[in-house]
Amino acid sequence: MRALRAEVDLNAIRHNYRLAKAQSPQSKAVAVVKANAYGHGAVRVAQALAAEADAFGVACIEEALELRQAGISQPIWLLEGIFAADELALVEQHQLSMAVHCPEQLSWILAYDFSQPVDMWLKLDSGMHRLGFDPHSYRQAFQALQASGKARVLGKMTHFARADELDHDYTRKQIERFMQVCEGLPGPVSLANSPGTLGWPAAHGDWLRPGLMLYGISPFEVAHPRADQLKPAMRLVSELIAVRELGVGEPVGYGGRFVTDKPMRIGVVALGYGDGYPRQAKDGTPVLVNGCLTRLVGRVSMDMLTVDLTDLNEAKVGDEVVLWGEQLRTNQVAPYCDTIPYELVTKLTRRVPVHYSE
Ligand SMILES: Cc1ncc(COP(=O)(O)O)c(C=O)c1O
């Protein structure tokens, strides 16, 4: 068996959820566990948070039903609402909370005969221009839902496009637009994703929606006093399965992308793009061997990748290799792979067994 595994610390996730709530003690917080809890395992994460999370957030009804089937009884938000009218029966049956972001969804809801009302979050497009009613039609949609009596809670929500950029004023503009359009409309509000929670107090509102930060990953590219209190929840670990000595001028791996410029020791690690490690990882991408920082060299293959052991004389077959974790953050790795930490953790494949600790 390969030594490859993702170790997930559920205690760290609880710590990070509490850190989110501590930013705004009067607010509730939806723990966003879509996309299999960003690769950490939706059911296990939801179970770990079940005693304290105010609600969970998912992208679609399939993800919500997985949680209900696992016994999760908290409110579950469908962050994109329903994709077809026939999902409303399931929404009602499982008492799911749904975003309502477009006229089609609104008309399906208005036409549906609910036997009991459900919670709805009417979404405003405050500037992301992806989902949401535009400012001119928002109040009318709100009033239609209100008059229908089909919403138990009728909340107002929006989503930020650039909240991770703390020195950019687009988020302030989105907040202003949201407040302006929603002025005087009753009910709770929800604006803040992880960067909104950590970096934009004016966006806290009644319900936070932290996702990335729950997994201990900073949404910011730069150091940040509150984000720095996050505890990384995942450690991606494998081991050396071969070590070889090469002379000068020897190519390593497919395509010979990396060529030795001196006599080198090269280690082969059991992990590749078939496990979700990005093939785009460049020469120089940081990795830890026995806790020592070194670098990836050569192209990532499907099941293996190669690392520089030249300065790690002691390193041998069976030694531990950490691709990310407490000592090497996904934020440090992602730029070498032309991606963001969100994608690194979410893309791990089912070949990577997840080992949980409490
Ligand atoms: C509507 C909505 N709210 C909250 C989140 C959580 O965002 P983040 O992971 O940046 O905290 C997402 C994720 O994309 C989302 O789509």
Side-chain angles (χ1 to χ4, degrees):
M1 278 169 68
R2 295 204 298 171
L4 172 62
R5 65 204 179 269
E7 296 171 354
V8 170
D9 178 355
L10 296 169
N11 235 340
I13 294 177
R14 281 189 286 265
H15 164 88
N16 297 328
Y17 181 79
R18 287 174 202 149
L19 188 70
K21 293 231 358 180
Q23 307 309 310
S24 178
Q26 78 288 354
S27 305
K28 293 186 170 183
V30 181
V32 178
V33 295
K34 67 193 173 111
N36 200 29
Y38 295 39
H40 293 68
V43 167
R44 290 299 298 267
V45 168
Q47 284 168 340
L49 289 172
E52 52 194 302
D54 302 308
F56 293 102
V58 297
C60 56
I61 206 145
E62 299 90 314
E63 293 180 341
L65 296 184
E66 186 190 13
L67 296 184
R68 283 283 182 261
Q69 276 149 18
I72 297 298
S73 57
Q74 271 91 349
I76 300 177
W77 291 30
L78 299 172
L79 294 168
E80 295 163 39
I82 50 169
F83 296 82
D86 61 9
E87 289 175 23
L88 284 170
L90 287 170
V91 168
E92 192 179 13
Q93 182 190 339
H94 294 282
Q95 278 296 301
L96 306 175
S97 310
M98 59 180 163
V100 182
H101 66 72
C102 65
E104 291 79 2
Q105 289 181 336
L106 178 62
S107 63
W108 298 333
I109 291 165
L110 294 178
Y112 186 76
D113 186 17
F114 287 86
S115 56
Q116 50 181 334
V118 297
D119 295 352
M120 301 184 196
W121 289 84
L122 188 66
K123 188 160 185 173
L124 174 74
D125 175 10
S126 59
M128 174 121 179
H129 302 325
R130 194 178 60 176
L131 299 181
F133 284 81
D134 65 51
H136 305 290
S137 56
Y138 187 83
R139 294 181 73 92
Q140 204 183 351
F142 188 93
Q143 278 141 13
L145 278 180
Q146 200 178 27
S148 75
K150 295 172 197 273
R152 194 175 59 140
V153 169
L154 179 52
K156 294 152 283 174
M157 70 183 287
T158 195
H159 193 53
F160 295 134
R162 311 185 66 162
D164 55 320
E165 298 170 66
L166 292 169
D167 53 358
H168 201 289
D169 80 342
Y170 200 67
T171 303
R172 191 182 49 74
K173 285 185 180 145
Q174 285 197 260
I175 298 170
E176 273 171 20
R177 196 170 298 156
F178 181 78
M179 299 303 179
Q180 211 174 42
V181 173
C182 293
E183 201 186 344
L185 298 179
V189 300
S190 175
L191 305 88
N193 51 1
S194 294
T197 299
L198 290 165
W200 299 89
H204 284 162
D206 301 297
W207 281 86
L208 309 168
R209 302 191 311 271
L212 187 73
M213 68 174 291
L214 297 180
Y215 310 104
I217 302 173
S218 172
F220 306 120
E221 276 183 10
V222 291
H224 182 277
R226 289 185 288 281
D228 292 346
Q229 296 170 42
L230 293 167
K231 289 191 183 161
M234 184 192 286
R235 197 166 168 266
L236 182 63
V237 195
S238 189
E239 66 179 25
L240 294 174
I241 59 166
V243 176
R244 64 194 337 98
E245 312 278 344
L246 295 179
V248 184
E250 297 292 342
V252 176
Y254 286 118
R257 181 182 72 182
F258 179 83
V259 178
T260 56
D261 57 356
K262 57 185 178 200
M264 287 183 74
R265 291 187 88 212
I266 298 294
V268 182
V269 183
L271 162 90
Y273 65 79
D275 305 295
Y277 192 88
R279 185 176 175 275
Q280 312 90 283
K282 298 182 185 32
D283 293 334
T285 303
V287 297
L288 295 171
V289 176
N290 292 331
C292 300
L293 188 64
T294 183
R295 56 177 180 148
L296 177 142
V297 288
R299 216 171 252 165
V300 174
S301 349
M302 188 183 288
D303 316 309
M304 287 170 272
L305 55 78
T306 35
V307 295
D308 180 3
L309 301 178
T310 310
D311 294 330
L312 304 173
N313 297 327
E314 310 279 288
K316 59 184 184 312
V317 168
D319 284 358
E320 183 184 83
V321 180
V322 172
L323 291 311
W324 56 72
E326 180 95 39
Q327 310 305 328
L328 175 61
R329 303 295 180 98
T330 48
N331 302 70
Q332 295 166 263
V333 177
Y336 288 89
C337 308
D338 295 328
T339 188
I340 52 175
Y342 290 80
E343 195 183 16
L344 288 183
V345 287
T346 305
K347 271 206 168 158
L348 291 183
T349 69
R350 36 188 294 196
R351 285 220 299 191
V352 183
V354 185
H355 296 190
Y356 292 96
S357 61
E358 281 294 333

